[in-house]
Amino acid sequence: MKKILGTSLLFLGLAVFGQAREDSIQFSKISLEVLNNGKGYSDLRELTKNIGHRLSGSEAYEKSVQWAAQKLREAGADKVWLQEVMIPVWVRGKESLHIKTSGGGWKSLKMLSLGNSEGTGGKDISGEIIMVKSMDEYNNLTPEQVKDKILFFNYAFKQSFIETFKGYGDAAKYRTTAASLTAKKGGKFAIIRSLSSAFDDVPHTGAMRYEENVSKIPAVAVGSTTADELETLLKSQKITAKLNSNCGMKGEKLSHSVIGEITGKKDQSVIVVGGHLDSWDVGEGAHDDGAGIVQSIEVLRTFKKLGIQNNHTIRVVCFANEENGVKGGIQYGKTVKEKNEKHLFAIESDAGGFAPRGIALDMDDTKRKQIQGWSKLFLPYGVYNFEEKFSGTDLYPLHDMGIPAAELMPDSQRYFDIHHTEEDTFEKVNRRELLLGAVAMTHIIYMIDKNW
C-alpha cells in the first residue's frame, strides 16, 4: 500500500512539474512575442498623436471609436462591434482665475476647472479666499464665515504612502465634494489643491459631483506650488480671487464602447480584458488610459499571432466614459445581465503604462488562492504582488454580479505626477514598461483560459 501511495505521489509530482514547465515555456513565448513584435507602443503613438485627448462626447472621442475598431480587426478579432452608450457631455470652454492681494493688482493663476463642474456663465465671480486644510477645519467654519467667500481646500497629497493610489484615495474626497461643501455654507466657488504627488505648478482636473438640492457652484484646481504660495500669502493678508469660466454640462448624446473578441474553442464563456477609451480634455490621455487600451488589444493580437487555441472567448472591451460617468462600464454590465452571458473573469488596465508590479484580485478566496499559486511563473517578469483586493472602475458592475474581477498594478510612483494633466503625453510612456504590462495581462488571461 505504501509503495502504491508513494508511486502515485511521484507521478502527481511529475505531472505538476511538467505542467509548470509547460506554462513557463508559454510565458516565455508570450514575452518574446510582445517585447520583440508588440504593436502597443506604435498604436499608442497613433492614438495620442493623431487623435489626442478624448473627452466623452467630443469629436476626438468619436474618432477614437473608429480607430479602436480598426485596431481590433488588425489584431485578429473574429468579431468587432460597437456597443451603444448614452453619455454625459461636459465642455470646458475658456476659463481664468486671478488673485489680488490687498496692495497689488490682479495676478493670473494656472488652474483647471474640475470635470462636471458648472462654470460662471462667462461672468466674473469674485470674493475673499478662506482656507481650510482638513475636513475638521471645514466643519468648524460657520455659514456666516463662508457666505460670499471663496473656499480653498488646501489638503496635501500624503507622501507617506508607498502605494500612491492610497494617497490619491485619501485626498479624493476634497475634489469630489468641495463644490457642494462650499455651497452649503454660502460660498461662491471652491478651489482645491490638486491631487498630485509632484511638487510643481501643474493643475490636475478630475471628476467632481454635486449633491442633490445643493446649489451647483464652480470648482477649480490649482497646482501644488500655487497652493503653497496662496497659503503663505493668506497668513499675512486678505486675498481676493476672481473666476471666469464657461464650463458646464450640455446634456447627453449617443456614443459607443468598442468591443472585439476571439471565439472560444471549448465554450462561449467570456474572459474580459479592457481599459477605457476616453480621457480628460488635457494632455493626450497616454497613461490614462491609452496604455490600458493598447495593452488589451495586444493581448488579443498575441493569442492570434502565437496560435494559442483559447478555450473560452477572449473579449477586449474599450469602455466609453469612465472619466466622468462610467456609463460604458454600466451599460456593458447591463447587457451581460440581459443576455445572461457567462463571464469567467475580467481584468482592466487603468493605472498607467509603467512597469507591472502585480495584479489586484477582487474575488472569492478560493479563486484568489488559485491565482496566487501561479505567482512563481510571474516572478521572472517582475510581477510579484497578488495580495491587493480591488478591480477597475469599469468592472464594478461585473463584480457586483459575482464575476471575478482584477486590475493590473503598475509601479505607481510617477503616475500621480501627471494624472489628469497636460503632462500625460506619449513621451511620458516607456516602450518596455508599456509592453511588459501587456505581457503580464496576456499571462494572466492565458492561465485563466487554461485552468478555469
Side-chain angles (χ1 to χ4, degrees):
M1 181 66 182
K2 289 183 179 179
K3 185 176 181 180
I4 294 173
L5 180 59
T7 302
S8 299
L9 290 173
L10 175 61
F11 280 119
L12 179 61
L14 290 172
V16 171
F17 175 79
Q19 187 63 64
R21 186 172 184 276
E22 178 185 323
D23 292 335
S24 180
I25 291 171
Q26 189 62 269
F27 269 40
S28 179
K29 289 180 179 178
I30 289 168
S31 177
L32 289 171
E33 171 57 30
V34 174
L35 291 177
N36 288 327
N37 304 312
K39 305 297 184 184
Y41 192 64
S42 57
D43 285 349
L44 185 63
R45 181 188 288 110
E46 286 184 21
L47 178 62
T48 55
K49 296 304 181 184
N50 294 350
I51 298 176
H53 53 68
R54 308 165 298 281
L55 183 64
S56 291
S58 67
E59 182 180 346
Y61 179 77
E62 298 308 321
K63 289 180 179 178
S64 74
V65 167
Q66 299 306 316
W67 175 90
Q70 181 59 33
K71 286 300 173 183
L72 283 164
R73 295 186 190 99
E74 292 175 6
D78 301 333
K79 180 181 178 183
V80 177
W81 71 99
L82 307 184
Q83 184 171 81
E84 292 187 347
V85 183
M86 291 301 297
I87 60 172
V89 179
W90 180 81
V91 296
R92 181 176 301 279
K94 293 183 179 179
E95 55 189 13
S96 64
L97 178 66
H98 293 80
I99 61 167
K100 182 172 68 173
T101 58
S102 52
W106 290 107
K107 175 186 175 183
S108 177
L109 300 183
K110 290 186 67 175
M111 52 76 74
L112 285 174
S113 292
L114 296 180
N116 296 349
S117 173
E118 294 298 326
T120 70
K123 299 177 180 179
D124 290 342
I125 294 180
S126 61
E128 181 187 343
I129 297 177
I130 302 293
M131 182 182 72
V132 294
K133 300 187 73 172
S134 68
M135 285 297 180
D136 287 341
E137 289 186 12
Y138 164 81
N139 291 331
N140 288 332
L141 289 175
T142 65
E144 290 73 23
Q145 290 174 298
V146 179
K147 183 174 173 57
D148 294 331
K149 303 291 198 308
I150 314 306
L151 203 50
F152 170 37
F153 291 84
N154 189 23
Y155 184 83
F157 191 104
K158 286 187 177 179
Q159 300 293 328
S160 53
F161 290 111
I162 303 303
E163 172 50 66
T164 60
F165 276 86
K166 294 179 181 178
Y168 178 73
D170 172 68
K173 59 183 176 287
Y174 293 92
R175 188 185 72 200
T176 56
T177 64
S180 290
L181 290 174
T182 302
K184 284 179 179 179
K185 295 191 177 183
K188 290 184 174 180
F189 67 88
I191 302 172
I192 71 158
R193 184 189 186 103
S194 288
L195 276 60
S196 174
S197 53
F199 292 83
D200 58 25
D201 201 31
V202 178
H204 296 230
T205 190
M208 51 79 69
R209 64 172 181 267
Y210 291 111
E211 291 185 29
E212 291 186 10
N213 304 316
V214 177
S215 297
K216 294 182 178 181
I217 65 171
V220 306
V222 296
S224 299
T225 55
T226 288
D228 289 339
E229 290 167 3
L230 280 176
E231 179 177 355
T232 299
L233 289 170
L234 286 166
K235 289 177 180 178
S236 61
Q237 58 191 299
K238 290 185 178 180
I239 300 177
T240 300
K242 179 176 65 178
L243 176 67
N244 189 305
S245 60
N246 292 275
C247 61
M249 284 295 199
K250 305 298 180 183
E252 293 185 324
K253 69 175 290 187
L254 180 65
S255 191
H256 301 86
S257 296
V258 186
I259 304 173
E261 66 183 30
I262 48 177
T263 307
K265 306 303 184 289
K266 175 183 173 184
D267 62 44
Q268 301 305 302
S269 299
V270 177
I271 298 171
V272 166
V273 55
H276 65 85
L277 189 55
D278 64 312
S279 75
W280 282 110
D281 58 328
V282 291
E284 295 171 351
H287 279 287
D288 187 21
D289 183 30
I293 291 296
V294 300
Q295 287 170 335
S296 299
I297 295 171
E298 186 67 20
V299 173
L300 189 151
R301 188 200 69 83
T302 303
F303 264 75
K304 293 292 287 189
K305 183 64 180 296
L306 293 180
I308 300 173
Q309 298 297 302
N310 49 298
N311 294 318
H312 313 285
T313 293
I314 296 174
R315 180 178 294 172
V316 175
V317 183
C318 304
F319 292 98
N321 185 237
E322 187 271 350
E323 292 292 6
N324 68 326
V326 200
K327 299 299 185 181
I330 293 170
Q331 182 60 49
Y332 184 81
K334 180 181 178 182
T335 302
V336 168
K337 196 169 186 178
E338 289 173 349
K339 292 185 175 181
N340 197 28
E341 284 187 327
K342 183 179 179 182
H343 278 52
L344 295 179
F345 177 81
I347 184 170
E348 184 168 24
S349 171
D350 183 22
F354 298 105
R357 295 290 181 252
I359 297 173
L361 305 172
D362 202 1
M363 59 196 68
D364 66 57
D365 286 342
T366 300
K367 286 184 168 57
R368 278 173 58 84
K369 288 177 180 176
Q370 183 183 11
I371 294 174
Q372 288 167 348
W374 305 332
S375 62
K376 289 184 178 180
L377 289 166
F378 289 83
L379 280 176
Y381 305 92
V383 179
Y384 58 86
N385 187 352
F386 293 86
E387 300 302 318
E388 300 296 330
K389 194 171 185 178
F390 60 85
S391 53
T393 301
D394 292 301
L395 305 183
Y396 286 166
L398 298 181
H399 175 262
D400 290 345
M401 294 162 57
I403 296 166
E407 182 163 12
L408 182 69
M409 293 172 54
D411 185 289
S412 70
Q413 302 312 315
R414 292 167 287 167
Y415 187 54
F416 292 107
D417 288 7
I418 62 175
H419 183 245
H420 295 173
T421 76
E422 62 187 16
E423 299 292 315
D424 184 8
T425 62
F426 174 76
E427 288 77 15
K428 298 296 193 305
V429 180
N430 175 273
R431 179 185 182 277
R432 285 187 59 80
E433 292 185 345
L434 177 73
L435 294 181
L436 281 169
V439 168
M441 292 177 75
T442 310
H443 284 164
I444 191 67
I445 296 298
Y446 165 77
M447 292 298 288
I448 295 293
D449 178 65
K450 181 177 178 181
N451 292 283
W452 285 19

